[in-house]
Amino acid sequence: MSMPRIFLVGFMGAGKSSVGTALAARLGYQFFDLDNEIERRLGTPIPDVFAHRGEAAFRAAESDELARFAELDGVVVATGGGAFCSEANREVIHSTGGVSVFLDLPWAELQRRLAHDHADRPMYGDTRQARRLFEERLPQYLCALVRIALAGDESPEEVAGRVEEALREAPCAI
Ligand code: S3P
């Protein structure tokens, strides 16, 4: 059986890390959180990277880390909300046989989640800016090979089950 790479994509607050952990456990794959790997690589928390080195330095490290995972087998990778919005990153994921999965939540639910959980998310700005960013990014998230439409009241385990089901039905699947 092939051991693909699964990349969870979607906006901040979509639950990529918690769903990724649950999905990796179900599949017996290894789980990686791209943001944690970037922090490890740069030796600083992400808000400090943005504050002291700027977004471009963060994006460069993000692309480097992503490329590293595109060579591994049997992994689930939770990406940061901006990673899949780079065409080059999408190309790296897909050209190496990776499967992108978009966790698609309505803006109202993301807003509710992020209202009290945006302090460590430099791209959030304020509610208006975050909403604009969400709308700009939506067409890019829709480039994912698999889309999981969610209401937001599902547990990470339920979502992981939905993802596994969708992957088993997909031609590129697990
Ligand atoms: C970002 C989202 C963050 C993190 C960084 C940039 C973005 O990850 O990668 O702050 O551009 O949307 P989460 O989606 O896990 O919050």
Side-chain angles (χ1 to χ4, degrees):
M1 194 168 87
S2 68
M3 297 277 281
R5 264 151 260 128
I6 298 158
F7 292 86
L8 297 181
V9 311
F11 202 65
M12 296 175 264
K16 301 175 295 282
S17 301
S18 45
V19 171
T21 305
L23 180 64
R26 287 180 85 95
L27 299 176
Y29 286 11
Q30 239 190 308
F31 173 70
F32 292 95
D33 183 305
L34 197 63
D35 285 338
N36 291 347
E37 300 301 316
I38 296 166
E39 288 183 332
R40 199 188 346 230
R41 181 190 188 99
L42 298 179
T44 5
I46 287 175
D48 292 352
V49 179
F50 273 78
H52 302 300
R53 304 188 205 183
E55 185 182 352
F58 172 79
R59 296 298 171 202
E62 185 175 55
S63 296
D64 285 352
E65 284 301 308
L66 192 75
R68 197 162 67 77
F69 287 109
E71 292 176 358
L72 302 182
D73 284 334
V75 293
V76 174
V77 181
T79 65
F84 198 67
C85 302
S86 142
E87 194 180 343
N89 288 346
R90 293 197 294 271
E91 173 69 17
V92 164
I93 292 175
H94 294 148
S95 67
T96 52
V99 182
S100 51
V101 178
F102 172 32
L103 301 185
D104 187 4
L105 281 100
W107 168 251
E109 174 61 16
L110 294 170
Q111 183 182 14
R112 194 187 63 75
R113 293 183 184 189
L114 291 167
H116 302 291
D117 191 18
H118 61 261
D120 289 334
R121 290 179 157 119
M123 292 300 290
Y124 183 86
D126 59 30
T127 309
R128 263 190 61 210
Q129 287 169 316
R131 181 173 192 154
R132 197 177 324 126
L133 189 61
F134 170 76
E135 283 167 2
E136 271 170 33
R137 287 178 168 181
L138 199 48
Q140 295 158 337
Y141 295 140
L142 289 168
C143 297
L145 298 182
V146 175
R147 168 175 168 257
I148 307 291
L150 298 164
D153 56 357
E154 304 87 352
S155 69
E157 288 71 26
E158 271 176 78
V159 180
R162 294 262 310 272
V163 174
E164 183 179 4
E165 224 170 89
L167 290 172
R168 292 207 186 279
E169 281 165 15
C172 47
I174 45 179

